[in-house]
Amino acid sequence: KYTAPAFGDDGAVYFVSFDLMAYALDAQTGKVRWRTNTGNFVASSPAVAPDGTITFGSFDTQIYALDPERGRIQWKLPTGGPIYATPAIAADGTLYVGSSDGSLYSIAPDGSKVNWTFYTGDAIRCSASLGPDPEGKAPYLIYFGGGNGVIYALDPDGKRRWSLDTRVG
């Protein structure tokens, strides 16, 4: 098990596991509500969208979205490489997830399209976080680190606000 759980408003605990399965467990009893075969290894922790959809990335390069009631795949969207990172989800349901192809992806809440990508030049294995915009220009900034040793802060439209190269003394 490489992932952390996520929690639904319906009393479910969601896990994805290296046994190629995603699970919904009842938080009170621990009983399995459903399990879904992901078809590939998953190191990304699940994240729960505002509408309850469970999202995670897979080594098969796909971002998955599962129905919280039955665990059915609602949609999946490919990136250019295996995904280690957990999606960060904005209040409007927009997903932000890094891929080992070196890009951070902004994905529409329904998985219908990639809004934009931000290329770092090296694999992204850490999860992004949505945090405050100290300047108050945007509702949040997207913070993440790349395999190139650079820490980034992006606006919700994908423009770099700032970056810090940690390799420079």
Side-chain angles (χ1 to χ4, degrees):
K1 190 137 238 26
Y2 290 94
T3 69
F7 301 91
D9 290 338
D10 62 353
V13 181
Y14 302 107
F15 289 92
V16 286
S17 181
F18 229 57
D19 68 356
L20 311 184
M21 301 295 282
Y23 296 90
L25 308 177
D26 184 278
Q28 288 187 332
T29 67
K31 290 185 180 179
V32 175
R33 291 185 179 180
W34 53 256
R35 75 182 94 222
T36 298
N37 189 329
T38 64
N40 212 302
F41 294 114
V42 175
S44 166
S45 295
V48 179
D51 68 357
T53 301
I54 298 94
T55 64
F56 56 89
S58 173
F59 280 20
D60 71 358
T61 77
Q62 306 273 341
I63 300 183
Y64 286 84
L66 304 182
D67 164 33
E69 291 181 28
R70 294 195 174 100
R72 293 183 186 153
I73 296 172
Q74 293 180 313
W75 57 263
K76 58 185 179 175
L77 191 74
T79 69
I83 301 168
Y84 292 78
T86 300
I89 305 174
D92 69 357
T94 301
L95 281 79
Y96 301 97
V97 66
S99 173
S100 62
D101 70 359
S103 291
L104 183 82
Y105 288 76
S106 170
I107 299 167
D110 65 359
S112 62
K113 67 177 182 172
V114 173
N115 299 322
W116 51 260
T117 60
F118 181 88
Y119 184 65
T120 65
D122 202 347
I124 301 171
R125 292 188 180 92
C126 75
S127 303
S129 290
L130 305 183
D133 175 1
E135 296 178 52
K137 296 178 182 177
Y140 56 86
L141 295 180
I142 306 141
Y143 297 89
F144 69 99
N148 58 358
V150 178
I151 299 168
Y152 298 91
L154 305 182
D155 286 312
D157 63 3
K159 291 188 177 113
R160 182 189 326 215
R161 179 72 67 88
W162 56 260
S163 58
L164 172 68
D165 189 340
T166 64
R167 299 167 298 175
V168 178

